[in-house]
Amino acid sequence: AQKVTQAQTEISVVEKEDVTLDCVYETRDTTYYLFWYKQPPSGELVFLIRRNSFDEQNEISGRYSWNFQKSTSSFNFTITASQVVDSAVYFCALSELKHQLTFGKGTKLSVIP
Amino acid sequence: DTGVSQDPRHKITKRGQNVTFRCDPISEHNRLYWYRQTLGQGPEFLTYFQNEAQLEKSRLLSDRFSAERPKGSFSTLEIQRTEQGDSAMYLCASRGGRGENEQFFGPGTRLTVL
């Protein structure tokens, strides 16, 4: 069975601080996909990134970066120089070949001006 | 707007009534998913369609729930004899073909059962 754990329920940072959101996953499949989604107060889930299990290369997109480590089954997300607009709930998710997403419980990030 | 759309956005109903939600996926996407999200939790998978075929159903989908996707376009999710425990946000997502693994979500339908 697949499982995603986001141990941090809520995080508060002051604007311009860096913040890392943790994600640990469990799966028995060798081929799988990992995702991060953002859910702002408006409620709509916004896709941020997808990584394949065979591609451990880290990725940077503007102020966002992702660190995928198969050895520790982790897929962590860092926001550099956080802004108030980054305030949202962030979900890590996993899909195996069956396609459906298994989500973690989310981490609520509050960026204080 | 070419994103996923859902209707209605909000639904308040009395216990025991039937409700139906609609999802219109991104037009070229052949895969469609329904999820349910309760307060403070991540979305949980309910069911999956590839074109018009319903290929997967979660154990969360009790006999009171039924989903359809006639002609492989829009989808409907019906809940019969609603219960207070059905109160949640119902999310629809769609996905393209092979190689496109990311799912794009609609705004959701928030159901409140009184």
Side-chain angles (χ1 to χ4, degrees):
Chain A
Q2 50 187 352
K3 184 179 177 182
V4 175
T5 302
Q6 294 180 255
Q8 305 149 308
T9 305
E10 291 192 43
I11 300 176
S12 289
V13 298
V14 177
E15 200 170 19
K16 297 184 183 176
E17 287 184 344
D18 299 348
V19 58
T20 296
L21 309 182
D22 297 333
C23 172
V24 173
Y25 63 91
E26 295 176 30
T27 177
R28 280 181 270 188
D29 280 8
T30 54
T31 300
Y32 53 89
Y33 304 88
L34 294 163
F35 305 80
W36 277 95
Y37 284 84
K38 174 181 180 180
Q39 190 172 43
S42 60
E44 189 159 344
L45 280 161
V46 177
F47 166 75
L48 296 177
I49 190 171
R50 165 179 61 93
R51 299 305 285 171
N52 307 326
S53 55
F54 43 87
D55 180 6
E56 281 191 78
Q57 189 172 3
N58 292 328
E59 183 156 338
I60 298 174
S61 175
R63 296 185 297 107
Y64 295 171
S65 62
W66 291 269
N67 184 332
F68 176 27
Q69 291 195 342
K70 287 177 77 170
S71 60
T72 55
S73 297
S74 65
F75 185 42
N76 296 337
F77 173 27
T78 297
I79 302 174
T80 303
S82 58
Q83 299 176 2
V84 173
V85 293
D86 296 327
S87 296
V89 180
Y90 290 87
F91 290 97
C92 180
L94 165 73
S95 81
E96 298 166 342
L97 293 179
K98 284 189 174 182
H99 316 294
Q100 65 260 32
L101 296 169
T102 297
F103 286 84
K105 292 188 175 184
T107 297
K108 182 177 180 181
L109 173 65
S110 298
V111 181
I112 304 163
Chain B
D1 186 8
T2 56
V4 178
S5 62
Q6 292 186 245
D7 184 69
R9 296 289 306 274
H10 302 272
K11 178 70 177 179
I12 300 174
T13 191
K14 292 182 179 178
R15 190 177 51 177
Q17 298 294 306
N18 299 343
V19 295
T20 299
F21 310 141
R22 176 180 171 125
C23 170
D24 287 272
I26 293 170
S27 59
E28 62 269 25
H29 284 182
N30 62 347
R31 290 166 166 85
L32 186 147
Y33 304 78
W34 285 98
Y35 293 83
R36 181 172 69 186
Q37 185 179 20
T38 53
L39 201 62
Q41 302 294 317
E44 295 174 292
F45 168 74
L46 292 178
T47 191
Y48 157 58
F49 289 86
Q50 184 167 328
N51 299 311
E52 67 276 5
Q54 188 174 18
L55 296 184
E56 189 99 14
K57 291 201 293 186
S58 161
R59 284 172 293 179
L60 290 175
L61 215 65
S62 76
D63 292 344
R64 297 183 298 104
F65 287 70
S66 63
E68 295 182 339
R69 194 182 181 198
K71 303 177 184 177
S73 56
F74 71 92
S75 175
T76 58
L77 178 67
E78 181 183 16
I79 309 174
Q80 295 182 326
R81 304 180 305 281
T82 52
E83 301 173 356
Q84 287 184 325
D86 297 331
S87 295
M89 176 77 87
Y90 290 84
L91 296 164
C92 176
S94 71
R95 193 197 121 186
R98 251 189 171 179
E100 299 175 27
N101 291 293
E102 48 270 28
Q103 296 178 23
F104 295 93
F105 284 80
T109 295
R110 181 167 295 285
L111 173 66
T112 302
V113 182
L114 301 175

